[in-house]
Amino acid sequence: MCGIVGYIGSKSIESVLLVGLQKLEYRGYDSAGMAVLNGDELVTRKAVGKIAELEKLLKSSPLIGNAGIAHTRWATHGEPSTINAHPHLNNQKDIAVVHNGIFENYAKLRAELVDDGYVFVSETDTEVAPHLMDKYMHEGFSSEEAFVRMLKRLEGQYALAAISEKAERKIFFARKGSPLIIARGNNEYLLASDIPAVVPIAHEAIYLENDQWGYITPAGVTIFNGNGEKVEPAWQAVSLSVEDVDKGDFEYLMLKEIYEQPDVFERVLKTRLDDTFIHFPELKFNKDYLARIGRILIQACGTSLNAGMIGRMYLEQFAHISAETDYSSEWRYRNPLASGDSLVVGISQSGETADTLAGVREAKAKFMRVLSFLNNVNSTMARESDALIELMAGTEIGVASTKAFTAQVLNLLFFSLYVGSIKWLLPAEERRELLDEIRALPDKMRQILKSHERIKEIAEFLKDKNDTIFLGRTYNYPSALEGALKLKEISYIHASGYAGGEFKHGPLALVSDNVPVVIIAPQGDIRAKMISNLKEAQSRKGTIISIITEGDEEIKKESDFYIEIPKCAESLSPLLVAVPLQLLAYYTAIARGCDVDRPRNLAKSVTVE
Ligand code: F6R
């Protein structure tokens, strides 16, 4: 949802900013731009489209300098165009601003500035910032004072950076709501929306708090809080490596992340499980409190909500806690009822999703406790929740979430079993068998990954379709939703997921010989009911693609295509079913020539409501 980078140092400014932007491209790719101070001269380049377009432009019109800011955009106010691309400038073109977020009062500010004689060239909310800074500098304030006065006028949420010809070799920054980090390498300083942008250079970073602002210069970083008091920089080592944020030998990051899932599971298992006990070292809630939780309200968005829907079943089954789920954007506005024994669970890969964060704040406003399942434990949600559980999926950059999803489901499973064990709910033998099955999951996932050739064949068939239906029941109803979401977001084929039992109540009308139906029917209690769904679709000429437990000859015979998963307990099947569904979406998108890591109109980390 827009990414910003800034750099002061002696390396090639163009390359450092470009590499930073490339690592942030998952946040938006409608346009990109850069502004660089060369001595006291400010020079800007902008291009519509992906960062490769800006790179081409820089080849023909290079930039030199030693302080600069850059931006990759996910359009909110104004269509993707060169004019609307950041950095935005004042009328004299000597101040440049890049911004991630939304200035909610921009219309009012714009009208005021127009009255003052400022000429706006773009449709963006961001453009008010350089004009405001300019206005205060013309009133006689120093660049630093003008920056602070500008911040005081801006309402909404933002991470922003500004440079000015009058403040040579100084980059101003501020954070309110949207993430921003400051980093240092060898006598060089950077700022960025996310850590991957600084990994090639930086060894230490500071995660800014809300309302902090300041500047970087060649000599260091100065940070102030919202009251204007100086803050001691809290440097932390950067533990990510270049390989962690690179696609390596894979064609796309999404594929790399799909293949990382067995390793993620092994990491989670190693931390959470010893011979008999489940551990949550980072969980701040004590066992007495956990045993007393009467109700859990799960709020999340997109894929994370799909994981939450599986988690709800685990909580009911293994922890005997009544649980409900809702989209964060709905939950926070429907005046949710609070009771003393309710816990709100937020689930988020990024920990920065505006809707989920707003849900956390809504819960806190109602004095409800919040537990968040997060991949990014340095995120805003991590800071604002009462307790957190770390997903341990490793950095996920592909816009379509894969390894974070399965890590969410696995951690929800462990959490439910942990609470269940505090309450002595699961008989020892049953518990031992389930834990043994969980330990076997990484190898079973590896086995599924080997079936990619079969999945490619199905993708070849799917690639020419316009509509698809995904059906599942109980544990795999959310799998159907997730399979459909993956397919539509990266291949642009319309896909809908339904609970199998609901099929005949309406969606069945959609089935024809041109509408494939994906039947998720692993072994277990609901398999027979899924066969009924298969028959319903088959008798309307739907092409059947089934996901079955290996050796299920009966369903194989009835299917046009099938994908097998290894035998496992029904409750664990969504963890395995996710893998072929991800691969099916991936290979279908590839067969259609789509840019898998940069699906149109989307961005990872949706930091606006
Ligand atoms: C889909 C996808 C999104 C995210 C959603 C929430 O593949 O990635 O649906 O799951 O935007 O994001 P987080 O988990 O960061 O809150």
Side-chain angles (χ1 to χ4, degrees):
M1 196 102 314
C2 297
I4 65 177
V5 203
Y7 177 70
I8 286 193
S10 55
K11 294 196 171 70
S12 152
I13 188 98
E14 238 187 45
S15 339
V16 173
L17 293 178
L18 257 183
V19 169
L21 286 184
Q22 279 156 358
K23 299 290 175 209
L24 296 180
E25 200 170 18
Y26 71 85
R27 302 178 70 88
Y29 29 82
D30 290 332
S31 63
M34 213 178 259
V36 165
L37 279 171
N38 185 15
D40 63 357
E41 193 200 0
L42 182 74
V43 192
T44 308
R45 302 276 183 269
K46 299 180 187 192
V48 186
K50 296 175 184 154
I51 286 149
E53 299 304 317
L54 179 66
E55 196 174 358
K56 269 190 229 154
L57 177 68
L58 288 168
K59 281 218 171 86
S60 54
S61 322
L63 281 179
I64 43 168
N66 31 36
I69 54 178
H71 186 270
T72 181
R73 178 165 187 249
W74 185 81
T76 55
H77 293 64
E79 58 166 14
S81 67
T82 317
I83 290 287
N84 288 333
H86 298 219
H88 287 285
L89 307 176
N90 61 333
N91 289 151
Q92 268 88 42
K93 300 191 180 358
D94 56 7
I95 299 170
V97 175
V98 290
H99 163 218
N100 163 214
I102 289 183
F103 299 143
E104 282 160 4
N105 60 337
Y106 83 98
K108 196 167 143 251
L109 292 172
R110 188 172 169 132
E112 174 192 315
L113 287 159
V114 168
D115 278 351
D116 289 344
Y118 285 91
V119 178
F120 279 76
V121 293
S122 78
E123 301 156 276
T124 66
D125 53 336
T126 305
E127 200 185 342
V128 297
H131 292 317
L132 271 178
M133 198 165 155
D134 177 279
K135 173 176 156 146
Y136 293 121
M137 284 170 80
H138 274 95
E139 286 175 12
F141 294 102
S142 69
S143 53
E144 183 178 328
E145 286 164 332
F147 182 74
V148 176
R149 277 172 187 268
M150 172 195 81
L151 292 182
K152 291 209 169 110
R153 300 292 314 278
L154 298 171
E155 288 167 17
Q157 55 157 80
Y158 50 80
L160 60 83
I163 49 177
S164 157
E165 284 183 1
K166 308 233 164 47
E168 204 191 318
R169 309 214 65 198
K170 202 176 223 179
I171 304 180
F172 295 102
F173 59 78
R175 179 207 162 152
K176 186 179 182 184
S178 305
L180 190 62
I181 54 160
I182 308 295
R184 68 177 170 197
N186 299 322
N187 297 320
E188 57 202 334
Y189 290 86
L190 301 102
L191 58 84
S193 300
D194 197 3
I195 205 85
V198 302
V199 162
I201 291 180
H203 28 80
E204 284 183 311
I206 301 164
Y207 294 85
L208 290 179
E209 301 282 344
N210 265 337
D211 295 323
Q212 288 186 336
W213 64 276
Y215 44 84
I216 53 177
T217 66
V221 52
T222 308
I223 304 176
F224 300 90
N225 64 19
N227 301 324
E229 296 151 351
K230 241 189 197 169
V231 174
E232 204 45 49
W235 292 106
Q236 293 181 28
V238 172
S239 51
L240 279 184
S241 67
V242 173
E243 294 73 54
D244 291 328
V245 295
D246 204 70
K247 58 183 192 237
D249 293 335
F250 290 88
E251 199 181 348
Y252 283 97
L253 277 159
M254 179 182 175
L255 191 61
K256 177 182 173 230
E257 289 164 0
I258 291 173
Y259 273 78
E260 279 171 354
Q261 291 176 107
D263 297 343
V264 171
F265 271 42
E266 274 168 357
R267 184 157 62 231
V268 176
L269 282 164
K270 206 166 151 216
T271 312
R272 301 265 176 254
L273 204 55
D274 60 20
D275 283 349
T276 32
F277 292 107
I278 295 168
H279 302 274
F280 279 95
E282 74 276 37
L283 181 58
K284 283 198 204 140
F285 292 151
N286 65 35
K287 290 186 177 176
D288 282 350
Y289 168 70
L290 293 171
R292 280 187 283 109
I293 298 169
R295 181 170 160 242
I296 287 189
L297 309 154
I298 298 174
Q299 55 99 16
C301 305
T303 288
S304 296
L305 182 64
N306 293 339
M309 290 172 73
I310 302 169
R312 181 185 69 173
M313 298 199 56
Y314 291 150
L315 286 164
E316 289 175 347
Q317 162 122 13
F318 299 122
H320 293 193
I321 299 177
S322 158
E324 46 186 274
T325 53
D326 206 348
Y327 298 111
S328 303
S329 51
E330 288 296 312
W331 187 80
R332 62 166 301 213
Y333 287 117
R334 69 176 163 86
N335 198 16
L337 291 178
S339 63
D341 63 351
S342 302
L343 171 72
V344 174
V345 164
I347 306 173
S348 176
Q349 187 287 127
S350 62
E352 301 292 348
T353 300
D355 289 321
T356 319
L357 185 57
V360 169
R361 290 176 180 157
E362 178 69 24
K364 304 280 292 197
K366 289 192 146 71
F367 304 104
M368 295 162 98
R369 285 209 188 179
V370 178
L371 167 65
S372 291
F373 285 69
L374 301 170
N375 204 30
N376 179 1
V377 291
N378 291 306
S379 57
T380 312
M381 269 178 76
R383 278 192 280 259
E384 298 198 14
S385 305
D386 296 299
L388 66 84
I389 283 176
E390 188 177 349
L391 300 178
M392 292 183 276
T395 309
E396 187 183 72
I397 302 175
V399 170
S401 182
T402 51
K403 61 177 180 168
F405 170 73
T406 45
Q408 285 164 344
V409 178
L410 183 63
N411 279 289
L412 283 158
L413 170 65
F414 273 134
F415 177 70
S416 309
L417 289 169
Y418 179 62
V419 177
S421 69
I422 296 170
K423 295 161 122 180
W424 297 95
L425 292 176
L426 213 60
E429 184 60 12
E430 216 177 293
R431 181 185 146 89
R432 196 187 51 72
E433 273 173 24
L434 192 64
L435 293 183
D436 283 348
E437 282 227 36
I438 296 174
R439 281 190 193 93
L441 286 172
D443 282 340
K444 290 184 179 175
M445 278 181 154
R446 288 190 181 101
Q447 193 180 323
I448 298 171
L449 288 168
K450 288 190 190 137
S451 56
H452 57 88
E453 287 304 331
R454 165 175 285 279
I455 298 174
K456 270 189 202 166
E457 280 167 30
I458 307 175
E460 272 305 310
F461 162 78
L462 262 191
K463 76 171 201 291
D464 301 316
K465 304 292 165 200
N466 295 323
D467 295 291
T468 48
I469 290 172
F470 288 69
L471 297 179
R473 288 175 186 243
T474 65
Y475 287 107
N476 285 304
Y477 163 45
S479 306
L481 298 177
E482 178 59 9
L485 177 60
K486 284 292 90 92
L487 184 68
K488 69 185 142 202
E489 73 176 319
I490 58 169
S491 75
Y492 319 138
I493 294 176
H494 174 254
S496 290
Y498 299 102
E502 279 297 296
F503 193 39
K504 56 189 177 297
H505 296 291
L508 186 57
L510 294 169
V511 178
S512 71
D513 57 358
N514 212 20
V515 178
V517 182
V518 178
I519 302 275
I520 305 172
Q523 72 174 19
D525 290 347
I526 47 77
R527 176 182 163 278
K529 294 275 184 277
M530 289 308 301
I531 294 179
S532 307
N533 284 133
L534 184 155
K535 296 278 185 196
E536 285 160 3
Q538 199 177 47
S539 47
R540 274 85 185 174
K541 299 195 167 50
T543 307
I544 306 297
I545 301 168
S546 60
I547 300 187
I548 53 172
T549 301
E550 60 192 357
D552 189 333
E553 300 305 326
E554 185 187 354
I555 303 190
K556 263 190 215 175
K557 263 193 264 143
E558 300 290 341
S559 307
D560 298 281
F561 301 95
Y562 63 86
I563 306 167
E564 291 176 289
I565 62 163
K567 228 169 161 198
C568 69
E570 191 173 9
S571 59
L572 304 186
S573 61
L575 290 157
L576 296 182
V577 160
V579 181
L581 290 176
Q582 293 163 353
L583 288 173
L584 188 61
Y586 175 82
Y587 287 117
T588 308
I590 294 288
R592 286 165 67 90
C594 300
D595 184 345
V596 170
D597 284 340
R598 284 166 286 264
R600 71 181 178 211
N601 308 338
L602 299 182
K604 203 165 181 74
S605 189
V606 185
T607 53
V608 291
E609 278 189 55

